[in-house]
Structure formats: C-alpha cells, structure tokens
Amino acid sequence: MPTLVTPRGVRQVEDLWLDSAALDAATGWQLKPEGLCRDDACLIVPEELRHHDRVDVAGLWTRLGRPVLTSGDAVYLGEDASSKPALQAGAMAPDFTLRDLAGIEHSLSDHRGKKVFISSWAPW
C-alpha cells in the first residue's frame, strides 16, 4: 500500500492533488497524455480529477473503489479487495507496516516466529 506524506497546507484527504513526479515516486503510476499508467496498464483520468500535470489522487482512488486512509500526515492508498489473492487458513500472512500512536513504524515481519494479536477497528 503506497504511503504519501501530505503536502503542506492539505487540510483533508479530498484536497490531495499531486504533481506527476510526486505521484510516480509514491505509487509507481506515471501521468501520461493517455492517462495514469504503470507498466502496460493505463487508467483514464476524468477531466475534473486532472489539472495540467496534477491529479486528485484521493478522488481517483475513490472512483476506482479503492480505500484511501489517513493517519496524521500520511495518506495510504489501498488496493481493492478483488485484486488480492484469497488467504487460506494456515498460510503466512503478507508483511505490512503500520504506525503506532507515537508514530513509530512496526512491521509484521519484525515479529516472525512470535504469536501476534492484531485488533482492528473501522468506522464503516
């Protein structure tokens, strides 16, 4: 899941307009005349979500049905559930990194071989 540090002055995730260089650096997607592209895949960016070389990343991700999460000064762009392979009982969990309330990052891989309890909450 790509993590973006919000530009100074961004008040809410809806205001997340990034230029093509910042977008490429954070997500690997490149803004081209035909749309937003990564490898051989390109997404058409609607006019209202594109202004010159800037894209409303949160608006585009939301239209794609992908989650957009914020935590402090970071924005996390997720993938839709259908793009993830189904996990099986007993399979190794994929690695991920999250920040705690103090802003310290913790990765699941840091705890390999230990029992880990993960509790999550969502407002929806």
Side-chain angles (χ1 to χ4, degrees):
M1 178 180 299
T3 306
L4 307 172
V5 176
T6 58
R8 191 172 299 280
V10 171
R11 301 258 186 263
Q12 52 189 329
V13 72
E14 291 83 10
D15 295 332
L16 187 59
W17 285 83
L18 294 180
D19 64 32
S20 57
L23 181 63
D24 184 18
T27 67
W29 287 89
Q30 297 177 335
L31 188 59
K32 297 181 178 182
E34 59 269 31
L36 199 56
C37 303
R38 185 169 59 185
D39 300 326
D40 292 334
C42 287
L43 303 171
I44 296 173
V45 181
E47 285 292 319
E48 64 270 17
L49 299 178
R50 182 178 186 161
H51 184 67
H52 299 291
D53 76 331
R54 296 172 48 132
V55 174
D56 176 3
V57 179
L60 180 61
W61 244 249
T62 301
R63 280 211 185 169
L64 293 171
R66 297 177 178 179
V68 179
L69 306 170
T70 59
S71 176
D73 63 348
V75 176
Y76 300 91
L77 304 174
E79 297 180 28
D80 61 339
S82 65
S83 68
K84 298 284 186 184
L87 294 178
Q88 298 178 0
M92 186 174 291
D95 193 26
F96 60 89
T97 302
L98 296 173
R99 290 187 186 143
D100 64 17
L101 294 175
I104 300 170
E105 290 188 347
H106 300 274
S107 296
L108 182 61
S109 60
D110 296 340
H111 304 283
R112 289 278 182 235
K114 302 175 189 172
K115 291 183 179 181
V116 177
F117 173 76
I118 300 173
S119 177
S120 64
W121 174 84
W124 57 86

